[in-house]
Each structure stands twice: as C-alpha cells, then as structure tokens.
Amino acid sequence: MQVPAPFEYERATSVEHAIALRTQLGEEARFIAGGHSLLPMMKLRLANPEYLIDINDLDELFYITRADDEIRIGAMTRHRELLDSDLLAEHFPIFRDAEKVIADPVVRNRGTLGGSLCQADPSEDLSAVCTTLDASCVIKSTDGERIVSMQDFHVGPYETAVGDTEMLTEIRIPLKAGGGSAYEKVERRAGDWAVVSSGVAVWMSNGTIDDGRVGLAAVGPNTTSIGPVAEALRGAAPSEEFYEQVGEIAAANCSPQTDQRGTAAYKTHLAKELTRRSLRRAVARAQGQEA
Amino acid sequence: MTTTEPAPDTTEEERPIGFGRLLRKEDPRLIRGMGNFVDDISLDGMLHLAILRSPVAHARIVSIDTSAAEAHPKVVAVITGEDLAAQGLAWMPTLSNDTQAVLATDKVRFQHQEVAFVVAEDRYSARDALELIDVEYDWLDPVVDVRTALDADVPVIRDDLDGKTDNHIFDWETGDEAATNAVFDSADVVVSEEIIYPRVHPAPMETCGCVADVERVSGQLTLWCTSQAPHAHRTVYALVAGLPEHKIRVIAPDIGGGFGNKVPIYPGYVCAIVASLVIGKPVKWMEDRTENLVSTGFARDYVMNADIAATKEGKILAVRTNVLADHGAFNGVAAPTKYPAGFFGVFTGSYDLEAAYAKMTAVYTNKAPGGVAYACSFRITEAVYLVERIVDCLAHELDMDPAELRLKNFIKPDQFPYETKTGWVYDSGDYEPAMRKAMEMAGYDELRREQAEKRERGELMGIGVSFFTEAVGAGPRKDMDILGLGMADGCELRIHPTGKAVVRLSVKTQGQGHETTFAQIVAEEIGIPPEDIEVVHGDTDNTPFGLGTYGSRSTPVSGAAAALVTRKVRDKAQIIASGMLEVSVADLQWDKGAFSVKGDPTKSVTIQDIAMRAHGAGDLPDGLEGGLEAQICYNPENLTYPFGAYICVVDIDPDTAVVKVRRFIAVDDCGTQINPMIIEGQVHGGLADGVGMAMMEMIAFDEDGNCLGGSLMDYLIPTALETPDWETGHTVTPSPHHPIGAKGIGESATVGSPPAVVNAIVDALKPYGIRHADMPLTPSRVWEAMQGNHTPPI
C-alpha cells in the first residue's frame, strides 16, 4: 500500500467556505474533488499538500443546465453524469464519445470535470473536449469571479490560471446552431491515457462549415487548439479530400514527444488520422446523418 | 499407459465424487472478502517496516545519515547495510547460488535496490521517516544495454565478487553443435531472425510481504509470508541465518497471485526477520505496487538469435540459437541447480528434428535481479516463443501455410516416449488431433478465405498459429534440486473415524484451486465426497516437506503424491474390510467408496464404515494397527509434457495500427483432467497473460537505468476489453508415468499464447513484407513496423 505524507483535512460546506479556507490556508492547500489524480500523486509522494479541502459536499457545483446561449456545467459534475447526460449528448456528442474512453467506470463514478481541467494533464481527454468546444471557465475568489477561455486556462503542463485563493466553479460552452462534434482516441489499453486523441467541432449551414475547431491531446505541453485548422475549416465545403487536408494541417502544427506510448512520428500520424476521422463524424452529425 | 478415463463433462452443480466440474471450495471465502492474506495479519504490538531504495542504478555509497529518521517520534529503529554486515547478514544467497545484497553496503547496483530500512509504530510513520534518511551517492556509469555489457570498457557491476573483472555470469550450451552445423551447411533453406523476449513482470495483484514474529524466550520464528514454497523457504532461512529449523514456522496464508514472483526470498523478508529478532516485537513488511514492479523477480529478458534449417518441401531439419540473457544485478534465476537456463532446452518444440543446438551467455546489468517464472515453467516460455516464431518465419520464406508446416513436422504418436536432440524425454503426445481440433473450432480454411478477400480490399487480418509442448513437474530429485533440496513432494492423508478426511500438502495454492482439486484427487481414489475432505496447505508446521508450487508442478508432483497416499490408505482399508466381511483381501472388489465381496454385492462396507472400524473398539485383522492414515513422499520419474494448439485471429486498423484480438482458440492437452472448470480458468488467465505480453507489457529502462515500469499506468496489463471470449477445447493424452495420468496445466496458456498473438499480428502485416516484429506490439510499434522502421524493444 502506497501511503501519502501527513496532511490536514478540511471539509468545505459551501463555495464561499471553500474559498475562505483556501485563502486562509494558502498555497500548501489543495482542493480535493474526485481524487483520481491528486490521491495517486499523493500516494506516490509526487504531490505533498499540507491541507486538503474536500469539496465533495458542495451540491451547488453538481449540475448540467442550459442557459440561453450556452450549456453550463458545475465543476463537481462527475464523468458518469457527463456520460449519461442527454442534454450534452444532444448538443455536444463529443462528450459522450470522450467519456466512453476515459478510464473505467470506477474512476468515472468519482472523477469530475473541474478536477480533470485543473489537473491540466497534456493527455487529458476532457481538456481536449473543452478546448475543442471553446469552453470558458468561471473562476471565483473572495473578490468575485472572472471568466477565462480554455486557451488561457491552461498555462503549461499541470499548470492552470487558477490562483492560490481561487476556485474553478463552472464551465460554460457556447451553443450555436448547426453544430456537430466528435472525439477519437487511440490508447494502448482501455483506461490508458491517450497516445493521441482528437476532438473536432463544426458549425454548419447550407452544407458549408461556418466555423470549426479541433482539440488535440498528448501532442504538446497542453491540449491544443490549432489555429490553422480553424482557419481552414471556416467557410469550407466538406469532402474526403478536405478531411485529409485538415488532418495534415493538424499534424503539421503539433509537437509530440517520443515516449512509452509511442514515437513522435506515430503520434504525428495519429494527429492527422484522428483529426480526419473526428472531422468526418462531426460533419455527419452536424448534418443530422448520425444520431 | 493408465486406464483412467477422462473426466466426464459434468456441470458445476453435479458435485462429482472425484473428477469433474466442481465449483471451487475456496471461493465462498474469497469472493465474500473473507480471505486471510498476509496484510490481514495483525498482531499485538506489531511494528511496520519500510525500505529506503536507491534512486539511481549504479553508485557508490559515500555515507548514510540516519539521525533525523531515528529522531522521528514513532521510529523504533533504522538499520543500514553496515548494521547488517556487523551481524554477517548484509548478503544472502539467491536461488541460483549467487549472492544478493540484503541492504547495500558498498554500492547500489540497480535503481530501487534496498539501502536501509525503518521500523516504526505505524506504516505511515515508517514511510515518512524514509524521507529523513540522507544518503550521499557517488554516481557510476550504469550498464543498461545487455548487448554491450561484456564490452571491455564497461564498469564491472559485481566488484564484490572475488576476482571479477567483467559482467559475465555463465555460458551454457545444449545439443550437438557440430552435428547441427553440418545439417545447416547442407540444408536447402536456412532462415534466421533475431527474436527478443523483453523483460516483463508477473505483477500479482497482491504484492509481496511478510509478518515476522520472533518469540523472545523460545527463539521461535513465525513468518507469515507470500511464499509459493514455504518449506523450501524455511530450510533456506535455517541454512542462511543459522536459525534452528524446528524453531521456524513459515505460514503462507491466502495468496493473491504468484506466477513465480513469490518463489524467491526477497531482502524485505530478511529485513523483517532481523528487525523482529533485534526488537523483540512482530514486524510487518508489505511492498507497495511500485516496489513490487521495480525490485522483485522479473521474467524473460532474452535476446535470441534463431536459425532454422529445412528442406525446400518444408521438412524441418534443425534449430540453432544463440541467446544473450539479461539477469540484472544479481543472478536470482529460480531454476533447478543443474539448469541455469531453466528448461530452455526444450526449444526444439513439438517437431521431429535431426539436430539442435543452443548456446547462451548470461550477463549482469544494472537492473533489478530475478529471472523468475511468470508462469513460464522455467524458461519454456522463451523456448516456445523462439521455436514457434522461427517456424512461422520459415513458413513465410517457403510460402507455406503455417498450420500445414507444423502438421508436416510433428513428432508422431508412435515415437513417444520421444527423446529430443537436447536430451528431453517427452512422456506422451498426440499432436495432430489437437491441431486438427483447433483448426476445426477456428474454421481455419474459412478464415484463410476471409483473409484473402480482405487483403484484396486492403484490410489487415491475421491468423496466428502456435503449437507448444511444455515440460512441467520438476523433479526427479536426482536431476533437479534448488539449493540442494530435491524436487519431490510429500503428502499426508488421515481419514477421521466418521469417514471425513484431511489431506496435507507440501504445495501451496496462489489461486490455482488446490483446495478443490486435491480434494477431488483423494475423492476419486477413495470415494469420499470432496466436501468431506479438508485440504491443508501453506503451513510448515502442519504439512509434510516439499518444494512448493511453481513451474506447473503441483498436479504432476503433489497431485501424484495425493493419489498414491490415498491408494496406500485404501490398501489398509481393504485389509480392514476383509476382516469386517470375513473374506480374504483378494475376494474384495473396490467400487468407488466401498469394498464388496466379489460375486455378492450385498456384502459390502463403505469407506466410512471402515474408518469407524479402524478407530473403533472392534477387532482388526492380525498385526494391523488402528487408525486410517498414511504419508508418502513422491519423487517423479520424469517431467510431464502437456501440449496444445492455439489459433489467434486479429484485425488491424491499417490507418491507426490498432490491433484487435477478434478470436482466440485454445486446445489444450494436460492428460487426465481433474476439474475441467478449473483447467479452463487456468487457461483463460494464461491467455490473458499472453495477450498482455504480446501487445503491451514490458519493463523498460531509460539510458540511465531508471525503471520506466513503476506503476500499473506505466506497466500495462490487459483488461477484459483487450481479451476476446476465449474458445477452449481439449484432447486427453494421459501421462504414462503419473498415477492418474495428469499433466500440469498452470502455465500452458502463458507459454503457448504469446507466439500465437505475435504470429497473428505478423501474418496480418504480410502485405507490408514483414516477417518478424518484436513484442510488445503496441499500436506505435505496429505502425513503425508498417513503415519499415521496426526497432528491437531493447
């Protein structure tokens, strides 16, 4: 049994309480949500927080709702709820695609959206999904709240824009007409981190892609949204040749490293192939060709 | 040849008295969480031990400062290698008569080697205090690449050994080199390939550990330990530590998987014993997951250059191999003394050859020691992988179907017992029916047609065939020993007055189901229902001596002992019955569970009646003692040679190179079947192992000798999603020398399945001109092979 170093434990009763505790305890304190990233790191003593602030009682952070022009997801919403949500599946099928290949049911029962984003692992699937969907993050502190785009949320591997006295409370995803999205992942084994994964979202009208985004995991320091892909998608008419071109743009704009999961050459190839596949499915879904 | 019939294919509910399907007696306990594992042991005043390990692969120890750790309020003791050296306990023998540091004194020789230990009041404090020990290391260049370990300019790892000037451990050879070379020189076709079996790890779910309790007044040591061989361990402790053997009791309680990982004696066990001896309190040591993966017995790590010679018609003439074996920093191979390469000599496989020769060189590297099983039957996994891979390479060169090539070259039934060109005597075999059955179950011809159609369309489908012969059940003792202990096993059977029984074994289950199968063996011989037979094992105070469970030896050796001890009891029962029925012994006939008078079946006594008479007040025949019990020690006359035919079907996504194992057909022949359900379970587990090794498992190192496989996120083992629904079948060719005709089955699937999976993947890649690719065949490695960039894994 791997055992963590000593730490103190506080159980927050509200968002305000959680933020107050964090402000009071300082940089050696960490929030604990589902615990499926932080606890293993603590057991391996890669993370040694002095305080854990448990936020699992914060019922106010468990929700998936529709506001006028966006979907709002509470930071404590668990993978299982994201997987099961018909609302998400209707507007953003990419979530269900991704959740089906994240870890295993035990992890999905506990792990949370907020926890996944705050871990900021370059291989993490929901970060890629939120990058793809151009999500924004609501960060609260005693001074109020601020809203940060996904691009600004991740500032490096395992680093986010959330300060020592702040808390991620909500993720907002803009709703636009004619949308379709999909996620493709290659892993060495079920439940493994992605060798590479690719999410694509498109918004279409009259058979043309008005706007589109890609989010790639495990090909750079953070999950990556590739500007040249978005540029290429804008105003394009979908075709197999076009999917191939977009895949090539994705591959040309990523910087994977060779490791145990695969060679840089293979990962670059996957960036192309998976982007091609995701784009094809996203377009089909936008056109109502796939449930 | 035995007359024992194959087990009737009963259902699990029928509760046979003897052989047949029967739910496992141990499962009600285990599936309800009521098992009793080492980490469940908690004793009054028990302390906890944690081990400080080296962060680097090769370094001289300059100094160790333990003062801060000793000042921790809950720390009882901090012990270094110097402390052990003062007691003469800093080094211990390995199972291969090498020495291994219990705690490093001079230098560390692999990353995560044991350097010091802390004993504290609780597990957390012990672990916390490790952070307070300050060790200064003087780094040395590590030897990581096995291929350069013998070069002139590399550092000498084992400078502790007198006069050691290189990293060479041993050379070993088998077969006739000259005769083999002659066959090769005149052969039509010669195919050569470098075939690597990477380092893998048994990775049992339960890690290794122990609770040591030295009683201060009597000096009695009780050791609860994750041991596959409690008796052998006890004797080794007696020989090494000089403890009186009768004052040592080793108890292996429930074990959560062994696979060979729990055969060696690890430094942690010795540390716990020393700690209890010094402190006078019970001490628990349990490895964590990382410690298990990075420091305990690995498996394989063979670089094999293989050559095969054949006629152009596909008659295989000879196999030749040159092997470079990476044994890590200490030679900890678990193998019989005379077999430094284990039973690798069976690399001639299932084929009738004219000649064969193998040469092996084993070397030290700065990696964890071991070379244990992982369900390999003493290196047969490597041997079978070698021959089954090179035979497929030959099929590729000859453009022959790999199944047909094998069928053409099998040893024929009338050639058994068959002596191979490397001196192994295969006891029995009938290979073609097993192969034909597997092909029929697979729909082999139809699969090949489907494959041809798919290739036309650019789809990648592969069909992999392997056929293996195993050699399991070591001894005989004259040939096989471990540290001088002959490989034989005792068994003791006692029938209680009411006709219930207790059978005591020297072997120890780690999940194989001994509590069920051994009750069934006794039941088959004496007619007492298995539920009335208690199986006792794992406790040296309550069981007869024997060498333990590994190398699939429980059924071949201990199972034979159980059958023979029961027959011995039955012989006595027959004498008692003759008195009860007032006829001569010769006039009695045995119907399972009762003796009756020949020709008058109404006159009979059951084994239960006889048991009561044996313990009762009535007269017994003249000269007969009361009681109904016996003990024997069984020394096998030969190994048993189970075999099997495996067929694997894979589909590969040509764009992502992701491999999906679509089907796996396994036909096994382990002779007489005791419990077909347990056999299937063993086969399922081994097949999953095989898929894991073929496609994802590898203990890798970086250039500094850092182990990259320290967690189950890094060292991948397969899940249900990577494994297909196994399709199992069997043929039954009894062992002629085993009392019930049974052969071992525990490792057949682990041995036979990796080549089937790899052969299938390579077969799928045939359109790319690929003849060989090394494990683990991850998507990346498959894709690189498709690009012509296949690289060896080490």
Side-chain angles (χ1 to χ4, degrees):
Chain A
M1 184 174 73
Q2 280 155 329
V3 293
F7 61 90
E8 300 293 326
Y9 176 87
E10 295 275 2
R11 202 164 177 96
T13 54
S14 67
V15 169
E16 289 66 34
H17 185 214
I19 292 169
L21 284 169
R22 187 84 204 267
T23 307
Q24 176 198 330
L25 296 172
E27 62 180 12
E28 296 306 323
R30 294 283 297 272
F31 291 124
I32 182 145
H36 276 75
S37 297
L38 184 54
L39 289 183
M41 287 173 68
M42 287 170 64
K43 287 160 87 172
L44 292 168
R45 301 202 178 207
L46 298 171
N48 297 295
E50 289 178 17
Y51 301 92
L52 283 187
I53 303 165
D54 190 331
I55 53 173
N56 280 279
D57 285 347
L58 305 191
D59 293 343
E60 60 210 274
L61 297 184
F62 292 81
Y63 56 85
I64 304 171
T65 56
R66 179 174 178 167
D68 293 338
D69 55 353
E70 61 190 13
I71 298 280
R72 296 181 173 182
I73 308 175
M76 281 300 293
T77 306
R78 302 197 194 272
H79 291 294
R80 173 64 191 272
E81 273 110 30
L82 299 171
L83 176 63
D84 288 347
S85 168
D86 290 333
L87 180 66
L88 274 184
E90 180 192 343
H91 295 287
F92 306 113
I94 185 174
F95 264 103
R96 193 166 281 175
D97 288 353
E99 284 294 356
K100 281 181 182 168
V101 292
I102 291 175
D104 53 57
V106 177
V107 173
R108 292 199 292 259
N109 283 340
R110 291 291 299 170
T112 66
L113 174 57
S116 299
L117 298 191
C118 288
Q119 180 67 17
D121 189 302
S123 306
E124 202 277 315
D125 295 294
L126 288 184
S127 299
V129 168
C130 290
T131 300
T132 304
L133 296 176
D134 200 16
S136 50
C137 301
V138 179
I139 299 171
K140 282 193 176 164
S141 69
T142 49
D143 298 334
E145 69 175 44
R146 61 193 180 106
I147 295 173
V148 172
S149 72
M150 275 307 296
Q151 193 160 332
D152 295 332
F153 185 80
H154 284 149
V155 298
Y158 308 98
E159 269 192 281
T160 71
V162 182
D164 291 340
T165 59
E166 292 183 316
M167 181 179 187
L168 171 67
T169 57
E170 185 178 88
I171 290 83
R172 295 178 180 172
I173 304 167
L175 272 174
K176 291 186 279 185
S181 60
Y183 194 74
E184 294 276 351
K185 174 178 177 178
V186 164
E187 52 194 354
R188 292 173 300 174
R189 184 203 65 187
D192 190 19
W193 296 101
V195 177
V196 170
S197 62
S198 171
V200 171
V202 293
W203 292 270
M204 298 181 66
S205 60
N206 304 319
T208 303
I209 299 169
D210 299 325
D211 204 356
R213 291 174 60 84
V214 64
L216 294 173
V219 295
N222 280 119
T223 57
T224 314
S225 168
I226 293 170
V229 168
E231 280 167 36
L233 290 173
R234 207 163 295 132
S239 70
E240 279 299 321
E241 296 71 32
F242 178 65
Y243 303 152
E244 176 89 16
Q245 285 166 22
V246 173
E248 280 166 8
I249 297 169
N253 285 278
C254 63
S255 53
Q257 306 273 319
T258 293
D259 60 16
Q260 290 276 92
R261 287 184 205 136
T263 61
Y266 175 60
K267 292 180 184 183
T268 304
H269 167 78
L270 281 184
K272 172 187 157 186
E273 178 61 27
L274 298 184
T275 298
R276 186 165 73 113
R277 291 181 182 194
S278 287
L279 176 57
R280 185 192 293 134
R281 275 175 80 197
V283 166
R285 283 169 169 170
Q287 296 178 327
Q289 289 164 0
E290 186 191 310
Chain B
M1 186 81 51
T2 169
T3 56
T4 306
E5 291 296 314
D9 206 17
T10 50
T11 69
E12 280 97 348
E13 288 74 37
E14 283 178 57
R15 308 202 66 75
I17 299 174
F19 301 159
R21 287 176 189 273
L22 181 66
L23 292 179
R24 303 199 324 165
K25 294 175 66 174
E26 41 269 84
D27 282 343
R29 173 175 90 244
L30 296 173
I31 63 180
R32 279 186 269 186
M34 305 292 280
N36 185 41
F37 297 85
V38 168
D39 208 11
D40 294 322
I41 308 285
S42 185
L43 305 177
D44 283 348
M46 188 173 78
L47 302 171
H48 295 264
L49 186 150
I51 294 174
L52 181 73
R53 296 177 180 278
S54 168
V56 295
H58 200 192
R60 204 158 289 286
I61 296 175
V62 179
S63 63
I64 305 180
D65 181 355
T66 61
S67 54
E70 282 162 4
H72 187 290
K74 291 191 173 177
V75 166
V76 178
V78 183
I79 305 287
T80 66
E82 289 300 327
D83 300 327
L84 289 187
Q87 308 292 321
L89 291 171
W91 293 83
M92 65 177 189
T94 69
L95 295 177
S96 290
N97 281 306
D98 193 0
T99 53
Q100 173 173 0
V102 176
L103 295 177
T105 48
D106 50 347
K107 52 177 198 176
V108 291
R109 293 176 169 83
F110 67 95
Q111 191 199 25
H112 302 299
Q113 185 180 339
E114 299 80 0
V115 173
F117 69 81
V118 169
V119 181
E121 290 172 21
D122 61 78
R123 185 175 287 188
Y124 287 80
S125 300
R127 176 68 183 80
D128 292 344
L130 296 184
E131 317 267 336
L132 303 172
I133 301 173
D134 188 19
V135 185
E136 189 185 341
Y137 294 101
D138 185 8
W139 289 28
L140 302 168
D141 287 338
V143 181
V144 182
D145 183 351
V146 64
R147 297 171 201 268
T148 58
L150 293 178
D151 288 358
D153 55 341
V154 301
V156 177
I157 298 167
R158 295 299 305 277
D159 49 356
D160 58 296
L161 300 173
D162 276 347
K164 194 76 185 155
T165 57
D166 59 23
N167 294 316
H168 181 264
I169 306 177
F170 65 81
D171 287 321
W172 169 86
E173 63 176 350
T174 187
D176 186 330
E177 183 178 18
T180 305
N181 290 344
V183 172
F184 268 89
D185 289 345
S186 59
D188 299 342
V189 183
V190 172
V191 177
S192 301
E193 196 69 66
E194 181 187 77
I195 295 170
I196 293 175
Y197 210 134
R199 176 175 288 226
V200 294
H201 196 277
M205 278 299 103
E206 180 204 31
T207 58
C208 299
C210 68
V211 176
D213 184 16
V214 179
E215 211 277 312
R216 274 202 142 162
V217 177
S218 67
Q220 166 87 30
L221 164 66
T222 306
L223 185 72
W224 288 265
C225 186
T226 51
S227 172
Q228 297 178 219
H231 286 280
H233 278 195
R234 176 172 69 169
T235 305
V236 171
Y237 289 126
L239 292 171
V240 174
L243 298 170
E245 196 167 3
H246 65 297
K247 296 283 190 190
I248 307 173
R249 179 182 184 185
V250 176
I251 302 172
D254 282 327
I255 294 183
F259 316 107
N261 189 239
K262 291 165 182 168
V263 173
I265 291 175
Y266 293 118
Y269 303 155
V270 178
C271 292
I273 294 169
V274 170
S276 182
L277 197 62
V278 171
I279 300 166
K281 288 188 173 178
V283 174
K284 177 185 278 187
W285 169 67
M286 280 306 295
E287 297 174 325
D288 65 29
R289 173 64 57 202
T290 299
E291 291 181 290
N292 180 256
L293 285 168
V294 300
S295 74
T296 64
F298 70 92
R300 329 288 191 246
D301 221 343
Y302 273 16
V303 177
M304 305 181 279
N305 283 292
D307 309 316
I308 190 166
T311 67
K312 56 184 183 302
E313 292 80 24
K315 171 78 188 88
I316 303 171
L317 303 172
V319 176
R320 184 171 63 189
T321 182
N322 194 329
V323 181
L324 186 57
D326 185 341
H327 283 227
F330 308 101
N331 182 20
V333 168
T337 305
K338 293 176 192 165
Y339 299 84
F343 300 167
F344 186 79
V346 302
F347 69 95
T348 54
S350 312
Y351 312 108
D352 185 20
L353 306 181
E354 290 180 11
Y357 176 71
K359 180 177 186 307
M360 181 179 298
T361 300
V363 300
Y364 292 118
T365 60
N366 285 116
K367 300 177 192 168
V372 300
Y374 192 179
C376 77
S377 315
F378 301 121
R379 302 290 194 182
I380 293 176
T381 320
E382 292 91 322
V384 165
Y385 183 66
L386 171 90
V387 65
E388 289 306 289
R389 197 72 274 291
I390 198 69
V391 164
D392 251 42
C393 293
L394 176 64
H396 182 107
E397 283 310 302
L398 295 172
D399 201 21
M400 265 183 84
D401 182 276
E404 186 190 330
L405 177 61
R406 286 173 171 83
L407 283 164
K408 194 180 174 88
N409 286 283
F410 281 149
I411 301 161
K412 301 287 181 287
D414 59 6
Q415 290 178 280
F416 289 92
Y418 176 86
E419 183 170 357
T420 72
K421 292 293 183 263
T422 48
W424 299 77
V425 180
Y426 292 6
D427 59 345
S428 65
D430 195 356
Y431 296 162
E432 182 168 341
M435 188 73 198
R436 297 269 181 217
K437 183 164 187 173
M439 292 170 73
E440 185 186 324
M441 286 170 63
Y444 188 79
D445 295 339
E446 180 51 39
L447 286 171
R448 287 288 176 204
R449 271 194 291 277
E450 181 192 348
Q451 181 185 41
E453 286 170 21
K454 289 201 156 150
R455 278 190 180 155
E456 290 289 312
R457 298 198 293 269
E459 293 173 37
L460 301 180
M461 169 186 169
I463 305 158
V465 177
S466 79
F467 195 99
F468 65 91
T469 299
E470 269 248 78
V472 301
R477 67 197 295 170
K478 71 178 164 55
D479 297 329
M480 295 171 192
D481 69 271
I482 288 184
L483 292 177
L485 301 172
M487 300 187 79
D489 281 86
C491 193
E492 190 184 307
L493 176 65
R494 182 182 303 171
I495 315 290
H496 302 307
T498 57
K500 315 293 185 190
V502 56
V503 60
R504 301 172 188 279
L505 316 177
S506 57
V507 292
K508 169 64 198 170
T509 187
Q510 307 120 43
Q512 295 92 336
H514 288 20
E515 290 167 34
T516 310
T517 46
F518 281 81
Q520 290 185 269
I521 293 170
V522 174
E524 179 75 21
E525 297 293 336
I526 206 151
I528 296 173
E531 57 265 35
D532 289 348
I533 301 165
E534 184 68 13
V535 177
V536 175
H537 60 154
D539 180 342
T540 54
D541 267 15
N542 291 325
T543 55
F545 185 86
L547 267 265
T549 294
Y550 42 84
S552 297
R553 64 187 300 282
S554 286
T555 297
V557 188
S558 207
L564 292 179
V565 79
T566 313
R567 289 177 193 175
K568 201 169 168 182
V569 166
R570 196 176 70 200
D571 288 345
K572 181 173 179 180
Q574 186 167 6
I575 299 170
I576 297 171
S578 77
M580 293 169 77
L581 295 169
E582 298 177 332
V583 295
S584 74
V585 165
D587 287 333
L588 290 172
Q589 69 175 26
W590 172 250
D591 304 304
K592 201 191 268 183
F595 281 105
S596 62
V597 176
K598 284 178 184 167
D600 185 0
T602 61
K603 291 181 73 178
S604 82
V605 286
T606 66
I607 188 69
Q608 288 80 8
D609 299 334
I610 298 166
M612 184 55 84
R613 173 63 75 108
H615 296 86
D619 283 342
L620 293 174
D622 282 349
L624 204 64
E625 291 175 3
L628 194 55
E629 57 190 77
Q631 178 169 357
I632 68 156
C633 182
Y634 179 77
N635 178 27
E637 73 174 66
N638 188 7
L639 298 158
T640 65
Y641 292 80
F643 56 90
Y646 290 177
I647 297 176
C648 177
V649 184
V650 302
D651 297 296
I652 302 179
D653 183 322
D655 294 315
T656 62
V658 171
V659 178
K660 173 82 183 162
V661 180
R662 187 205 305 178
R663 291 179 66 196
F664 200 106
I665 295 90
V667 173
D668 274 279
D669 191 321
C670 59
T672 304
Q673 300 199 339
I674 298 162
N675 184 328
M677 182 198 75
I678 286 181
I679 289 168
E680 285 165 12
Q682 296 251 43
V683 170
H684 288 184
L687 295 177
D689 268 348
V691 167
M693 288 181 280
M695 294 174 60
M696 60 192 77
E697 294 183 30
M698 178 172 169
I699 297 282
F701 294 84
D702 70 13
E703 59 193 14
D704 295 322
N706 296 310
C707 179
L708 303 177
S711 82
L712 294 180
M713 289 302 288
D714 302 300
Y715 185 75
L716 298 181
I717 51 179
T719 74
L721 294 174
E722 282 74 43
T723 53
D725 287 334
W726 311 114
E727 300 168 56
T728 56
H730 63 267
T731 57
V732 175
T733 310
S735 167
H737 63 82
H738 188 280
I740 59 172
K743 301 179 176 185
I745 186 66
E747 299 160 314
S748 286
T750 318
V751 166
S753 57
V757 179
V758 173
N759 287 349
I761 294 171
V762 171
D763 183 52
L765 300 179
K766 199 170 182 180
Y768 292 81
I770 291 168
R771 195 178 76 183
H772 176 69
D774 283 313
M775 301 182 282
L777 287 167
T778 59
S780 180
R781 291 179 54 76
V782 171
W783 184 80
E784 290 289 352
M786 289 162 71
Q787 314 311 308
N789 297 331
H790 179 67
T791 50
I794 47 179

